[in-house]
Amino acid sequence: SQQGEEDPQALSIQEGENATMNCSYKTSINNLQWYRQNSGRGLVHLILIRSNEREKHSGRLRVTLDTSKKSSSLLITASRAADTASYFCATDDRGQGGSEKLVFGKGTKLTVNP
Amino acid sequence: EPEVTQTPSHQVTQMGQEVILRCVPISNHLYFYWYRQILGQKVEFLVSFYNNEISEKSEIFDDQFSVERPDGSNFTLKIRSTKLEDSAMYFCASSVVRVVETQYFGPGTRLLVL
């Protein structure tokens, strides 16, 4: 099964606008994490939301999780040019009973224009 | 803030050659992982390692791959006989506990097999 499919694939906005990215997944999860990747660089952990949480905030980031719809969204408020990056959601796979791997989506490429 | 480090940042090798990618996980972490990202594709799980043994591996992690924790700080990924399709960004990650908590990623090693 495919986990962590983000949409849109690409998003271009102006500085100061909000950016919303969505992620859908297929199996039961313990948690869902969002990562950022600047072009050709490493993965930076942004936020983790557990399956019993519905919303979480961290600075300009707001993450929601709807386990009934198996979906999550990442909202970046008041975006800056420095937010330009690819954003990935990643899930564990509780359905695989103790699997340790993170399963990543293809990511949303966000461009924030100054 | 502690971080995962990886060396080298870039590696170019000839097909059939052996390569060793090195990682220094965060010092108090107990679980270690390797992932790879082929250009333009998803980040894929390769292997997890705990208590000096592999705890989980993916289909990608065949007999050409091996991992080792040769001392108290380093964690290595060896590819015995590289193939063109091994060209990718390889990420090391570590976590305090299992995947239900955050995995912290290194900056990656970009491997190019010619």
Side-chain angles (χ1 to χ4, degrees):
Chain A
S1 64
Q2 290 187 14
Q3 288 282 73
E5 297 295 328
E6 294 91 339
D7 78 87
Q9 291 187 344
L11 179 62
S12 182
I13 59 174
Q14 294 300 122
E15 211 164 22
E17 293 180 340
N18 295 340
T20 299
M21 289 158 271
N22 302 297
C23 167
S24 61
Y25 58 92
K26 301 218 172 188
T27 66
S28 298
I29 62 172
N30 291 300
N31 64 59
L32 184 145
Q33 306 183 49
W34 284 91
Y35 288 83
R36 184 186 75 217
Q37 184 181 35
N38 287 52
S39 181
R41 307 290 293 275
L43 294 159
V44 175
H45 183 260
L46 295 176
I47 197 164
L48 178 152
I49 186 165
R50 301 186 193 284
S51 59
N52 62 352
E53 297 176 312
R54 292 295 167 260
E55 189 171 310
K56 202 160 182 180
H57 297 252
S58 176
R60 293 185 295 113
L61 305 180
R62 183 174 80 108
V63 169
T64 63
L65 179 64
D66 187 336
T67 52
S68 67
K69 294 181 180 177
K70 291 186 166 61
S71 67
S72 173
S73 68
L74 170 68
L75 168 68
I76 304 174
T77 60
S79 63
R80 306 166 182 168
D83 295 328
T84 295
S86 290
Y87 292 82
F88 297 88
C89 70
T91 57
D92 66 314
D93 188 355
R94 197 173 72 183
Q96 289 209 17
S99 173
E100 299 170 18
K101 64 184 179 186
L102 285 176
V103 181
F104 285 80
K106 290 183 179 177
T108 292
K109 188 169 184 178
L110 173 67
T111 302
V112 182
N113 301 300
Chain B
E1 186 176 329
E3 57 185 20
V4 177
T5 59
Q6 290 185 242
T7 54
S9 58
H10 294 79
Q11 173 106 40
V12 180
T13 190
Q14 295 292 323
M15 192 169 56
Q17 295 295 306
E18 174 184 285
V19 294
I20 298 176
L21 310 182
R22 291 182 168 80
C23 167
V24 179
I26 295 173
S27 62
N28 64 332
H29 287 189
L30 300 176
Y31 293 84
F32 315 116
Y33 314 87
W34 284 100
Y35 292 79
R36 79 171 185 192
Q37 184 182 33
I38 295 172
L39 187 64
Q41 298 189 22
K42 294 183 182 184
V43 176
E44 302 172 289
F45 170 79
L46 292 178
V47 65
S48 60
F49 191 86
Y50 169 69
N51 201 26
N52 281 320
E53 60 183 26
I54 291 173
S55 49
E56 186 177 357
K57 61 182 181 180
S58 72
E59 293 175 353
I60 303 168
F61 194 87
D62 61 21
D63 292 344
Q64 292 299 314
F65 292 89
S66 62
V67 289
E68 191 178 32
R69 188 154 164 83
D71 53 43
S73 60
N74 290 285
F75 179 51
T76 62
L77 174 69
K78 181 192 290 186
I79 309 174
R80 288 192 184 82
S81 178
T82 50
K83 305 170 191 166
L84 296 176
E85 55 265 36
D86 294 327
S87 295
M89 181 78 100
Y90 288 81
F91 294 107
C92 173
S94 69
S95 64
V96 177
V97 292
R98 293 179 77 185
V99 75
V100 292
E101 297 297 331
T102 300
Q103 291 185 18
Y104 293 90
F105 284 75
T109 293
R110 186 173 295 282
L111 176 65
L112 177 61
V113 182
L114 302 175

